[in-house]
Every structure is written in C-alpha cells, then in structure tokens.
Amino acid sequence: MGEKGSLRTTLHRHGLRVTPQRQLVLDAVRELGHATPEQVCRQVRDTAHAVNITTIYRALDVLEEIGLVRHTHLGHGAPTYSADEHEHVHLVCHRCGEIDEVPCDLLDDLAELLRRRRGFELDATHLALSGTCRACRGPEGADHPERAVEETR
Amino acid sequence: MGEKGSLRTTLHRHGLRVTPQRQLVLDAVRELGHATPEQVCRQVRDTAHAVNITTIYRALDVLEEIGLVRHTHLGHGAPTYSADEHEHVHLVCHRCGEIDEVPCDLLDDLAELLRRRRGFELDATHLALSGTCRACRGPEGADHPERAVEETR
DNA sequence: TTACATGCAAAGTCTTTGCATATTG
DNA sequence: CAATATGCAAAGACTTTGCATGTAA
C-alpha cells in the first residue's frame, strides 16, 4: 500500500501515532482541496460527530509538520489548508472572493529572478496572489462593481 | 501645499473630515514604512497619548478607502499597512521573519501571463511572497536552521 | 505503564460594533 | 445645528493552552 499508507508511515517516522482523528482530518483536507480549519471540522464531523475543533487545529499542525498538508493565507481571516500533493498558486479575487488555482511553474521565472537578484528562495506552494478575476473585470474589461465584497483583509 | 495637502484634499473629496488622529495615523504609516495597527498605535501615541486603538483601526480603514494607504497580509497575524506612494512587493522569510522589499515591476511578466491565461488582473501592490531569505539559506546555500521561527502562519 | 492524544474550558490575539460624548463644518 | 468622529466597553472571530482523561505501543 504505497500512496495510501503514507499517513501511517510518515507519522511513524516522526514517532507520532496514527489516530482516527488525524486520518479524518487528512481525508477532509484532500477531499476539500483547500479549506479552513472550520471547514475541515465540519467535514470531519460528518463522519465523527464528536471531534473537537481543538483536535482539528492540532491535527493540522501535525500534518503540516510532517509535510502532508500546507497552509496559505488567502487574505483576511482563517488560513486554508491543502494537501501536499495538491500544488498550486492561489489567485484570490479581492472583489468577489473567488479563488482560482494555477500551476506553480508559472512562477518559475519570477523565482529565478528573485533567487538571482535577492538570494531569495521563493516558495510557490504557499502563495496567494490577489487581484481581480475575469468575471469581476467584466466582459469589456471595465469596472463592474456587481457584488463588491469588502476588500480582502 | 501640493503633496503634503493630499490628506486634507482627499478626505474632503470623499466628504470626510480631517482630524488630528487621521493625520497622525497617516504620518505614522509613512514614517514606519509598513506597520501593523498595533505598531501604528504605539507610534501615534508618542505624540497623542490618548488615542484609542479602535480609532487607529477606523482611521486605517478610511485612509485605505480613499487610497492613501494599503495593507498586506504578511502571513500570520495582523496585516501591515503602508503608504500608497510606497509601492513594493514584500518578500517574507518564513525562517526568520525578515521582510525584504522589491519593486513591483518584477512581477510585470507574471502579471501579463495571468492576464492572458486567466483574465486575472494581478494587484502587485498587495503582495507578499514567502520563501527563504539569503541569510537563512546560508552562504553555501545550505540549510541553516539558525534561529528557526515557527512557520509563517 | 508510559508516552502520546483528545476533549473541554478558559484564556489569548486581533478586530469590530454599539452607544454616549465630543467635535467639525 | 447637524453630521461625523472618537473613546470606551463589550462582543466576535480565530487560535492556543492547561489539565484531566483516554488510549495505544
């Protein structure tokens, strides 16, 4: 059992235990694509009614430490967690809140630039880029304050 | 009074009042370069002892609405505000927490790419890029867990 | 049986809101 | 005077901590 066993294996490698809660949290993150701790909690509770939000936070921390999940700050409020195999850069629309995803390699050139000019090693997997999505820019590319959402904060 | 009058002028244009607090908050943001509401508050209080943190938040909101300041989420916790004339992209080291700044135009190519491929209009002025700074990568480019800070969150 | 996990409650940040008071135009 | 801004206190969102209890190697 290769891929599927990676939670058990990885936890063991770190001297940590495999628990139903941790398994459920990982499953939830994988299913949801990207989700806040709150959202993960709701998903987990569909299966295990009694899991505490504290446990969700702790499980996410553990899973992040061992490299199975990762979080990104998409702007205001809670961060979103996603599975490590699910690499992408987030495009966050500060107009409507929509989140799009693009492959990390779009940033290769930028990463190279930063490395050379600043010695900075960009981590594209943690990234959120804010701006205005196609829908909000409108068909004519004009200003469309359709359902303005308060600025991303 | 050209540049310097822009707070008064801009507030008026928006039907808002010029108050000492707003002036102080703007001054603080300009002096500090980039700062959290908390830091702005401390700075303001050097001059006006009694200003309430709530007022700082509200002043920052107003100043942002009228376009004189802008905020960025550098990772975990409080956002940082900076003056609009002070445009740059933040490079946040998730190792040591150091914040470097680079000109926005480094992102021109990426912006063009996103515009063409996704219809996404990147707002480079809001940006924080996370990664590892030169110092933390070490002279040899190796792993230097000198003063590891818990992951940017 | 010992080390690690969980649940629960309480506390901690950071931020917003409601309302009375004060201030500006 | 009338519209806004401020201060203060309370509440709200999100997260962490302490500690007793539970559970697996």
Side-chain angles (χ1 to χ4, degrees):
Chain A
M1 42 180 86
E3 273 305 283
K4 213 46 203 276
S6 80
L7 173 60
R8 164 159 261 106
T9 313
T10 314
L11 282 170
H12 278 166
R13 224 188 347 261
H14 291 257
L16 299 167
R17 289 182 188 159
V18 184
T19 66
Q21 288 90 335
R22 287 172 177 172
Q23 181 67 62
L24 287 168
V25 167
L26 179 56
D27 291 347
V29 170
R30 285 176 170 160
E31 282 170 40
L32 295 171
H34 46 73
T36 62
E38 201 68 51
Q39 294 170 321
V40 170
C41 190
R42 277 200 290 276
Q43 173 85 6
V44 165
R45 281 179 173 164
D46 285 352
T47 305
H49 180 59
V51 179
N52 195 280
I53 182 79
T54 300
T55 303
I56 304 291
Y57 278 101
R58 290 196 275 227
L60 287 170
D61 281 353
V62 166
L63 294 174
E64 184 152 40
E65 272 168 34
I66 66 179
L68 292 180
V69 309
R70 169 175 52 237
H71 77 271
T72 312
H73 294 273
L74 263 29
H76 67 301
T80 71
Y81 286 78
S82 48
D84 69 321
E85 67 262 27
H86 191 217
E87 293 213 337
H88 51 248
V89 172
H90 298 92
L91 302 184
V92 186
C93 176
H94 52 25
R95 197 59 138 317
C96 69
E98 174 92 353
I99 299 166
D100 196 3
E101 300 173 358
V102 299
C104 291
D105 58 17
L106 282 195
L107 295 176
D108 284 352
D109 289 348
L110 175 62
E112 178 57 23
L113 212 72
L114 294 175
R115 196 177 300 120
R116 273 209 310 267
R117 314 246 297 234
R118 298 298 181 124
F120 187 84
E121 187 64 38
L122 181 66
D123 177 3
T125 64
H126 264 252
L127 227 57
L129 302 177
S130 68
T132 315
C133 72
R134 172 174 280 141
C136 286
R137 291 172 64 202
E140 330 80 12
D143 234 20
H144 263 234
E146 308 236 337
R147 55 188 197 98
V149 132
E150 58 197 280
E151 186 73 1
T152 308
R153 29 184 330 224
Chain B
M1 43 176 84
E3 274 305 284
K4 214 45 203 276
S6 80
L7 172 59
R8 163 158 262 107
T9 313
T10 315
L11 281 170
H12 279 163
R13 224 188 348 261
H14 290 256
L16 298 167
R17 289 182 188 162
V18 183
T19 66
Q21 287 89 337
R22 287 172 178 172
Q23 180 66 255
L24 288 169
V25 167
L26 180 56
D27 291 348
V29 170
R30 285 176 169 159
E31 283 170 39
L32 295 171
H34 46 72
T36 63
E38 201 69 50
Q39 294 170 320
V40 170
C41 191
R42 278 200 290 276
Q43 173 85 6
V44 165
R45 282 178 173 165
D46 284 352
T47 306
H49 179 58
V51 179
N52 195 279
I53 182 80
T54 301
T55 303
I56 304 292
Y57 277 102
R58 290 196 275 228
L60 288 170
D61 281 352
V62 165
L63 294 174
E64 184 153 41
E65 271 168 35
I66 66 179
L68 292 181
V69 309
R70 171 174 50 239
H71 77 271
T72 311
H73 293 273
L74 262 28
H76 68 301
T80 71
Y81 287 78
S82 48
D84 69 321
E85 67 262 27
H86 191 217
E87 294 213 336
H88 52 248
V89 172
H90 297 93
L91 302 184
V92 186
C93 177
H94 53 25
R95 197 60 137 321
C96 69
E98 174 92 353
I99 298 167
D100 196 4
E101 300 173 356
V102 298
C104 291
D105 57 17
L106 281 195
L107 295 175
D108 284 352
D109 289 348
L110 174 63
E112 177 58 23
L113 211 72
L114 294 175
R115 196 178 300 120
R116 273 209 310 266
R117 314 245 299 233
R118 297 297 181 124
F120 187 85
E121 188 64 38
L122 181 65
D123 177 4
T125 65
H126 265 251
L127 226 57
L129 303 177
S130 68
T132 316
C133 73
R134 172 174 283 141
C136 285
R137 291 172 65 202
E140 330 79 14
D143 235 21
H144 263 236
E146 308 237 338
R147 55 188 196 99
V149 132
E150 57 197 281
E151 187 73 1
T152 308
R153 22 185 338 223

